[in-house]
Each structure stands twice: as structure tokens, then as C-alpha cells.
Amino acid sequence: MKYSLKFLPVSLVIIMLTSFNYKDGQKNLLDKSLSQWGMYQSYRHTNDYKGEIPKDSNGNIIPPVGYNKNVGNVFSVKEENGDPVLRISGEIYGCLFTKEEYENYDLKLKVKWGTLKWTPRINKLKDAGICYHSIGDCGVDYWHTWMLAQEFQIMQGHMGDYWNISNSAIDVRAFLPEGTMNPVAGNDQPFLPVGTGTGTAGFCLRTVDNASPEGEWTNVELICYGGKSLHIVNGKVVMVLANSRYHVDGKDMPLTKGKIQLQSEGAEVFYKDITIKNIDALPAEYTSYFK
């Protein structure tokens, strides 16, 4: 049965219109039913994975789990002090992704690690990530799991690193790498193109490890405006990025809008207080990073 808003009690209309919003225009993205998120699962990857779609013992391609199938209860929500807390077990590679696309926003959340790790990360650092400006289908990356996107790395010792996902590229304020070195972000350095079509691998280290101690919540903030972005960890800018794009058929195309993905990547991780706020300009305290 469908109802017009004008026939509903005023109090119910207010609840409907504000249930996912906080004060100051911040929209709450997390509830117990994950109503604002879709999900995708690909594979339980193995230690010998080399970027090819997994095959069975007869050489037949193994299909991914697919969309909106929560095998193994990888994605779940519990209550903590009355507030929802998202758990991503990491057991199967995959992601939650927002049903809506976002452009020009300030995303905030809190993250902390669980204790579990899964193959192929049992003997490696705990890993996850926030993928932004995500477009297209899941499964187009090296792990056959995620959408084309830019990644704000969530990883032990690497909170705020940059990775390109699939054929994306971006410019990062970073020190020029030499030989086999990776680029390292420097907030007062010139912009260095990284990612597909740039000649530099699509990875850059954050300026500094500013995450909270293991077991404590880390405040993470991602500000995006007009192709520019800032990776902020516990209030400190750890990376400055600009000219977000993707490279296809020898051309660069702007990548400034899309869905937000939260990765499942072999490690147990928790999130809470996930909010997003539309902005019509870069916050004044951050404009100097782009001059």
C-alpha cells in the first residue's frame, strides 16, 4: 500500500525525512539493516593468486559469489552503546557500496581492527580500504572484486595511502621516486601523476602513520571537491590529491563522482559513525594545500 506524505502524521514525516541525517547537514550512512548499501562478494582468494580469474581443478572458470549475497555473514551490524557498528570479517573478498553516487562531499567515519585474518593475508598486515568515485561494475580490478575507483587505504601502518583501482589515475603531492622506490606523499611537494597512463605505478605512501594504537578507534576523513581530495587521519592531512581521472583508449576522463566502497580484503575490521555531508567548496582551512 502506498501513502502520500500529506496524509501521514507530521511526526512520522519528520522521522522519515531525518532518520538518516544528523545536524549540520551530515547524513548518517549506517543503520542496522544496511539499507543504504549494496554488497558484492568475489572469491576466497588463495596464496598463489596471480591476478587471473580463479579456476577449478578441471580448468573451468569459477564464478564469483556475486551481488547482494552475504555468504559467511561477511557484512554484519551490531549495536554498541546503542549505536550501530559495522563488522566486515574479510573472509571473502568483496565490498559494501553505497546505493547512491556522491560528488563534492566530506565523508567521516571511525575504524578499528578486529583480530581475524584470512588467506592470503594471514602472514601479512591487516588490510581494507575506502574506494571513492567508484563507477561501473564490480570485478574490474586485479582481484576481480571492486569497481574502478580511487582508494583511501585502510591498512596497518598505511592508513591513508593511495591506490588506483583498475585504470584510474590521479596527481598526488609527493616526492619523486627513484629506481624501485614508491612515491611518498609530501604535502608541500609538487603534484606527481600516478596510476594508469602516467608512467608511475598507482600507489603512493601517506606522509606519516597517524593511526590510533591497535584496538582503538581511528578517525578517518575524506574530503572530495571538483576532482581534488584529501586523506585525513585523526585530524592530520596525510595526502593531497588532485585531477582525479581514469584512462581509457589512450585518453583521460574525469572521475569526480561515484559510489563509495568499503572493502573486504582478508582482515576483520569495524566501522562506526559513518556520515557524509555535501559541500559547495573546499573548507577554508584546506584551500592552501592546492595553491
Side-chain angles (χ1 to χ4, degrees):
M1 184 179 294
K2 296 181 179 179
Y3 295 96
S4 170
L5 287 178
K6 67 181 180 180
F7 295 119
L8 290 173
V10 173
S11 60
L12 180 57
V13 172
I14 293 174
I15 291 172
M16 291 172 63
L17 294 178
T18 62
S19 59
F20 296 115
N21 289 270
Y22 289 154
K23 61 182 180 180
D24 301 326
Q26 293 186 96
K27 180 181 180 181
N28 180 17
L29 291 178
L30 183 60
D31 60 69
K32 290 189 290 186
S33 61
L34 293 172
S35 64
Q36 299 187 77
W37 301 82
M39 64 181 64
Y40 182 82
Q41 293 179 326
S42 60
Y43 303 99
R44 288 180 172 89
H45 281 304
T46 59
N47 288 321
D48 60 355
Y49 182 77
K50 295 294 188 298
E52 297 180 354
I53 296 176
K55 296 179 181 179
D56 62 22
S57 58
N58 295 318
N60 299 313
I61 288 176
I62 300 173
V65 175
Y67 288 96
N68 299 317
K69 298 175 183 178
N70 195 8
V71 174
N73 201 32
V74 168
F75 307 107
S76 62
V77 179
K78 65 176 184 178
E79 275 199 4
E80 184 178 276
N81 299 321
D83 296 320
V85 175
L86 169 64
R87 174 184 182 260
I88 299 180
S89 75
E91 181 179 1
I92 301 172
Y93 274 51
C95 64
L96 289 179
F97 57 86
T98 56
K99 294 178 180 178
E100 292 186 30
E101 293 188 336
Y102 295 94
E103 181 179 21
N104 299 333
Y105 58 84
D106 186 346
L107 174 73
K108 295 179 180 179
L109 54 82
K110 295 179 180 178
V111 58
K112 73 174 180 179
W113 296 111
T115 58
L116 299 177
K117 291 194 289 185
W118 311 86
T119 303
R121 299 214 64 84
I122 289 176
N123 297 315
K124 298 179 180 179
L125 298 172
K126 294 172 186 173
D127 196 6
I130 303 166
C131 299
Y132 57 101
H133 301 336
S134 308
I135 60 173
D137 295 326
C138 291
V140 299
D141 65 300
Y142 173 84
W143 295 98
H144 295 280
T145 300
W146 300 300
M147 304 176 200
L148 189 162
Q150 312 289 15
E151 181 179 346
F152 182 132
Q153 174 87 299
I154 303 293
M155 187 179 188
Q156 288 178 306
H158 292 267
M159 200 76 74
D161 287 357
Y162 167 78
W163 279 100
N164 77 317
I165 303 296
S166 186
N167 54 317
S168 65
I170 205 163
D171 299 341
V172 185
R173 286 201 181 277
F175 292 92
L176 191 67
E178 295 182 14
T180 60
M181 295 170 59
N182 292 310
V184 178
N187 293 348
D188 59 354
Q189 293 298 302
F191 280 103
L192 173 72
V194 297
T196 304
T198 69
T200 302
F203 171 72
C204 184
L205 286 163
R206 75 292 176 275
T207 58
V208 65
D209 178 15
N210 204 48
S212 302
E214 187 83 6
E216 297 182 14
W217 291 102
T218 295
N219 290 292
V220 166
E221 185 173 7
L222 169 66
I223 296 176
C224 297
Y225 184 78
K228 303 179 179 70
S229 54
L230 293 164
H231 294 186
I232 304 172
V233 179
N234 281 333
K236 184 177 184 63
V237 175
V238 298
M239 190 167 292
V240 180
L241 311 95
N243 194 21
S244 177
R245 59 198 184 274
Y246 66 99
H247 191 77
V248 60
D249 296 331
K251 298 180 180 178
D252 286 334
M253 304 294 291
L255 183 61
T256 62
K257 177 181 179 180
K259 298 178 179 181
I260 298 165
Q261 303 174 83
L262 298 178
Q263 295 176 324
S264 173
E265 196 173 359
E268 183 183 36
V269 63
F270 296 90
Y271 297 96
K272 70 175 183 177
D273 299 343
I274 307 175
T275 65
I276 194 166
K277 178 180 180 179
N278 292 328
I279 58 176
D280 55 15
L282 278 172
E285 61 267 38
Y286 296 120
T287 55
S288 62
Y289 286 98
F290 297 97
K291 292 182 179 177

